[in-house]
Amino acid sequence: MRKIFSQTKILLPTLYIFPVLLLLWFLANFSVNVPYWDQWRLTPIFERVAEGNATFFDFFTVHGHHRILIPKLIITALAFATKWNTQAEIICSVIFVMITFFAICKIAEIQFHNKSKNILHIANILSCLFLFSLVQHQNWLWGFTLFWFLTNLCLIMAVYFIHTLENFSAKTRIFLAAIFCLIGSFTLIQGLLYWLVLIPSILSIEGKAKQKISRLSIWILLFIISCIVYAINFNPIRDPKPFLFTEQPFLIINYFLAVLGLPLVRLPIPAILTGLILLSSFLFFTYYFFNNSWFKPENQELGIRSKLGKRMNWQWELRGKIFSITDSSFKATIPWLTIGTFSLISALSISVGRAEYGVENAIISSRYTTTSILLIISLIYLLALFVQEQQKYLSIYKILAVAMTGIMTINSVYVVRNLKLSFPYMESRKECLEIINYLADSEFIKTSPDSCLVLMNGKTWLVRQGAEIMAKLGWREFPQNLEFIKQPKQNYGYLDNPQTTAKPVIIKGDETLNLGGWAIIPDGKETPNLVLLSSGENQDFFANAIVNLESNDIAKIMKSKLYSRARWKVKFSAKSLPVGETVIKAWVYNSDKQEFVKLNDEVNVKIEIY
């Protein structure tokens, strides 16, 4: 018996902590300390803060469709504290989720009244599995999107303060919940939904009729004030399409269901079907608890017959039964129904704004899973409450728990495998930023989807501007006098496609040229992330290629699997080169020695205009 107890004592904490450890391993191996996309829009704010010229409206202005006031403040504080190490934002996201999970566990502990410990542990472990799941990889690896995790945190904390701090006064609980609702409202536009979905929670707090009316009135007033403030100079980047639902209802419905199913499935049709199952399950549990737990036969002599909420004790009569919003069975379900309802409405709002891009857009946007996960978590605890009443379904609950664990494990393996393939693209941004002073303002660098600058932001001028500000603030150094090694002592690779010929390759008008080869860093026994192309004797680069293609032949020659993806290929337009005859050379950047090293061979080209 002691042995079993000892094993349980070890196994249980392991199950709780494993998803967190997996996530930390994932972040340690795949996060890159380089600003990405929307983050570059924050650099002017950093500059104004450093100069003492920043205003409230620098942070309050609309970003897309959202007022990310609180995230901007957090990111700015972290940027100045760490010289804008973007991984600090990622750590912040992890901390948000840790607090969220702790709050969920405390809510569950209260709602389950310390009963059914096994069921509670299963629910908590599944909740941990989803909250820290790798299916949210876009949000985990992009610190800027900490607002998704903060949005979840604010809702859960509001629920936590209302439903667990029963020793505190009602005013204190509502005040604390309102603070988090205000924070959430100015984190993402979805945060405004808190005020609505939390109304049942506000009404569930014990009190007299006048107290309940007063609390509800103040709560709604705060919601209205938040909306009014939110609407000040609200100019979204894209015009809203309020009639899209009537024009293309199936498009929105499919997108909505796909968003709900994304945490479990990453294929369009299966994701839609999974989303439908999750939605149906939530509606079933809502009906079940409403019909079987919330409505209970009461003594007809109670005299509760007031037209206004039955004397404002928030009780109603339906078919001879009395519904009480303060009933203990009902209160146990309110937190999870609130969380699930928020997830559904949030997913619907995302769908209305993004459905025009098609279901495939939802599938590739793992950032939307962070909100959808809340629906699954609500279902996990609603099902646990159901099993607590219907013990005969306990075995089914355990089977579902094992199945979901298996699905999430498969998803994690899938995410890691795909990121290993795309990681050179992510890591190339770091190398690209370091040598930004050597990147020419060519058509390729400005517009090609393979340009390492475009990979950081489609508007490359934002990256250049941001780099200047970072250098000005002393946050990063960008070398300007690097050495070009034209005849290296070691072999760094070849430009072998097309093969060198005496006659130049002629490119006319808008024609394109394909180049390819392979590259390594021999001393480091690794492959570089970028190959850089120069023309003539220029000491800057008009194009780049990502080193990420299979090269089993190179690995065999070098007798190392580290070189199994050392090939590169690039296509560029003649517009990126000067008119006339020139020589294209390929280089790699050795960051350890801070030097550019030329690859073997070069290509003669002649650019002709019609």
Side-chain angles (χ1 to χ4, degrees):
M1 181 64 71
R2 288 182 179 178
K3 186 176 181 181
I4 295 174
F5 177 76
S6 177
Q7 290 176 344
T8 304
K9 206 171 181 180
I10 296 173
L11 179 61
L12 201 57
T14 301
L15 292 174
Y16 271 98
I17 201 172
F18 179 76
V20 184
L21 294 178
L22 177 62
L23 173 63
L24 294 177
W25 169 85
F26 175 77
L27 296 177
N29 284 275
F30 294 105
S31 63
V32 180
N33 178 22
V34 177
Y36 174 67
W37 219 255
D38 290 17
Q39 284 170 304
W40 289 108
R41 295 187 176 277
L42 300 179
T43 52
I45 297 178
F46 299 155
E47 184 178 30
R48 286 193 285 273
V49 170
E51 294 172 349
N53 298 324
T55 66
F56 172 77
F57 285 97
D58 287 326
F59 298 91
F60 187 69
T61 51
V62 177
H63 185 94
H65 288 88
H66 308 274
R67 292 201 185 276
I68 57 172
L69 169 65
I70 305 302
K72 281 182 180 178
L73 291 171
I74 293 172
I75 293 172
T76 302
L78 290 173
F80 278 89
T82 65
K83 293 187 176 181
W84 206 14
N85 184 332
T86 59
Q87 290 174 318
E89 298 162 23
I90 294 173
I91 294 172
C92 193
S93 294
V94 176
I95 293 172
F96 287 159
V97 179
M98 286 181 174
I99 299 172
T100 301
F101 177 60
F102 173 80
I104 285 176
C105 289
K106 296 302 291 184
I107 295 169
E109 184 180 333
I110 296 297
Q111 302 309 318
F112 281 82
H113 303 293
N114 296 319
K115 298 177 182 178
S116 305
K117 283 287 188 179
N118 290 337
I119 297 176
L120 181 58
H121 282 308
I122 292 173
N124 286 342
I125 291 169
L126 285 175
S127 176
C128 182
L129 183 67
F130 279 96
L131 283 174
F132 293 94
S133 66
L134 303 188
V135 295
Q136 309 166 87
H137 60 89
Q138 286 182 344
N139 289 339
W140 286 129
L141 297 175
W142 188 16
F144 179 75
T145 54
L146 59 83
F147 45 67
W148 287 109
F149 300 111
L150 182 56
T151 300
N152 285 0
L153 172 62
C154 289
L155 173 67
I156 300 302
M157 291 306 296
V159 173
Y160 169 80
F161 285 124
I162 292 174
H163 290 279
T164 66
L165 302 183
E166 295 184 349
N167 293 329
F168 288 71
S169 67
K171 288 182 180 179
T172 302
R173 292 155 65 186
I174 293 174
F175 173 75
L176 293 172
I179 289 176
F180 277 93
C181 285
L182 286 170
I183 293 173
S185 295
F186 295 95
T187 294
L188 281 179
I189 195 170
Q190 282 88 348
L192 291 172
L193 300 171
Y194 297 163
W195 304 98
L196 300 177
V197 299
L198 283 166
I199 287 177
S201 296
I202 298 298
L203 297 178
S204 70
I205 300 175
E206 295 79 3
K208 296 180 181 179
K210 291 184 179 179
Q211 291 175 317
K212 290 178 179 288
I213 293 176
S214 176
R215 294 168 192 162
L216 182 60
S217 300
I218 293 172
W219 190 260
I220 293 175
L221 178 62
L222 288 172
F223 167 60
I224 294 172
I225 292 173
S226 297
C227 291
I228 292 173
V229 173
Y230 210 95
I232 296 174
N233 294 327
F234 184 74
N235 298 307
I237 193 171
R238 293 184 301 273
D239 293 331
K241 298 183 178 181
F243 301 107
L244 185 62
F245 197 94
T246 56
E247 295 171 356
Q248 295 178 295
F250 290 106
L251 181 64
I252 291 182
I253 291 172
N254 286 339
Y255 197 98
F256 168 65
L257 294 175
V259 168
L260 296 183
L262 282 180
L264 293 170
V265 186
R266 306 298 299 178
L267 296 172
I269 301 302
I272 292 172
L273 294 176
T274 301
L276 180 60
I277 292 171
L278 294 174
L279 175 61
S280 301
S281 300
F282 185 78
L283 295 176
F284 165 77
F285 284 120
T286 302
Y287 170 79
Y288 172 82
F289 287 111
F290 187 81
N291 187 61
N292 296 286
S293 297
W294 300 357
F295 284 92
K296 293 187 176 181
E298 300 287 349
N299 192 325
Q300 297 299 313
E301 296 179 0
L302 285 175
I304 304 174
R305 295 291 183 272
S306 170
K307 292 183 179 180
L308 184 59
K310 305 305 179 187
R311 296 181 183 174
M312 291 310 300
N313 196 29
W314 300 103
Q315 297 179 329
W316 294 269
E317 182 179 5
L318 182 64
R319 296 178 183 176
K321 299 180 180 181
I322 300 299
F323 159 59
S324 173
I325 202 168
T326 57
D327 179 78
S328 59
S329 298
F330 172 54
K331 289 180 69 174
T333 62
I334 289 179
W336 317 117
L337 292 174
T338 298
I339 293 169
T341 301
F342 170 78
S343 180
L344 288 173
I345 301 176
S346 181
L348 184 60
S349 68
I350 291 171
S351 302
V352 171
R354 307 291 297 184
E356 61 182 302
Y357 300 108
V359 173
E360 291 74 16
N361 173 263
I363 299 302
I364 64 175
S365 301
S366 71
R367 60 185 179 274
Y368 300 141
T369 57
T370 299
T371 300
S372 302
I373 280 171
L374 290 183
L375 174 62
I376 297 176
I377 289 174
S378 72
L379 286 170
I380 287 170
Y381 287 102
L382 287 171
L383 181 56
L385 288 171
F386 175 80
V387 171
Q388 186 176 240
E389 291 183 5
Q390 306 285 342
Q391 286 289 326
K392 60 184 178 179
Y393 295 111
L394 178 58
S395 58
I396 296 177
Y397 187 59
K398 292 179 179 179
I399 292 171
L400 284 174
V402 172
M404 282 194 286
T405 302
I407 290 171
M408 297 307 289
T409 301
I410 294 171
N411 285 341
S412 296
V413 172
Y414 176 80
V415 168
V416 171
R417 187 190 67 181
N418 282 355
L419 276 175
K420 281 184 177 179
L421 296 177
S422 62
F423 189 60
Y425 290 87
M426 299 165 58
E427 203 169 30
S428 68
R429 301 197 295 258
K430 185 176 181 179
E431 189 173 312
C432 185
L433 182 59
E434 187 174 343
I435 60 170
I436 192 169
N437 291 326
Y438 289 89
L439 297 178
D441 202 28
S442 66
E443 184 190 33
F444 180 96
I445 295 296
K446 289 192 296 184
T447 63
S448 173
D450 292 323
S451 162
C452 62
L453 276 190
V454 172
L455 289 175
M456 283 191 274
N457 191 294
K459 297 178 179 179
T460 56
W461 63 268
L462 276 175
V463 182
R464 294 186 185 275
Q465 177 193 64
E468 290 178 5
I469 293 172
M470 293 172 73
K472 178 181 177 181
L473 296 177
W475 288 356
R476 297 213 184 188
E477 294 182 1
F478 301 96
Q480 298 189 35
N481 297 306
L482 297 178
E483 188 176 359
F484 284 71
I485 310 299
K486 296 181 179 180
Q487 294 181 337
K489 295 179 181 180
Q490 294 176 289
N491 183 8
Y492 280 73
Y494 278 85
L495 194 172
D496 58 14
N497 183 31
Q499 294 182 350
T500 303
T501 59
K503 294 183 179 180
V505 178
I506 298 176
I507 309 176
K508 297 181 179 180
D510 294 333
E511 291 181 349
T512 59
L513 178 65
N514 291 299
L515 298 182
W518 59 274
I520 62 172
I521 303 291
D523 291 336
K525 293 185 178 181
E526 59 184 10
T527 57
N529 298 303
L530 291 174
V531 164
L532 304 155
L533 302 180
S534 68
S535 62
E537 297 302 318
N538 293 331
Q539 290 197 337
D540 60 13
F541 307 106
F542 70 87
N544 68 265
I546 307 297
V547 183
N548 192 35
L549 301 178
E550 288 188 5
S551 57
N552 294 325
D553 55 334
I554 307 301
K556 187 175 181 180
I557 294 171
M558 296 293 181
K559 298 180 180 180
S560 174
K561 292 183 179 179
L562 292 173
Y563 303 130
S564 60
R565 302 194 72 85
R567 287 202 171 275
W568 56 271
K569 183 186 294 184
V570 62
K571 180 172 72 173
F572 55 88
S573 167
K575 294 179 180 179
S576 295
L577 291 170
V579 176
E581 193 168 338
T582 189
V583 177
I584 296 177
K585 304 171 185 176
W587 308 75
V588 295
Y589 174 58
N590 189 329
S591 58
D592 291 337
K593 297 181 179 180
Q594 288 203 319
E595 61 185 18
F596 296 108
V597 184
K598 183 178 175 296
L599 302 186
N600 293 303
D601 291 342
E602 48 195 40
V603 176
N604 295 321
V605 297
K606 185 176 182 180
I607 308 301
E608 296 182 349
I609 299 178
Y610 288 115

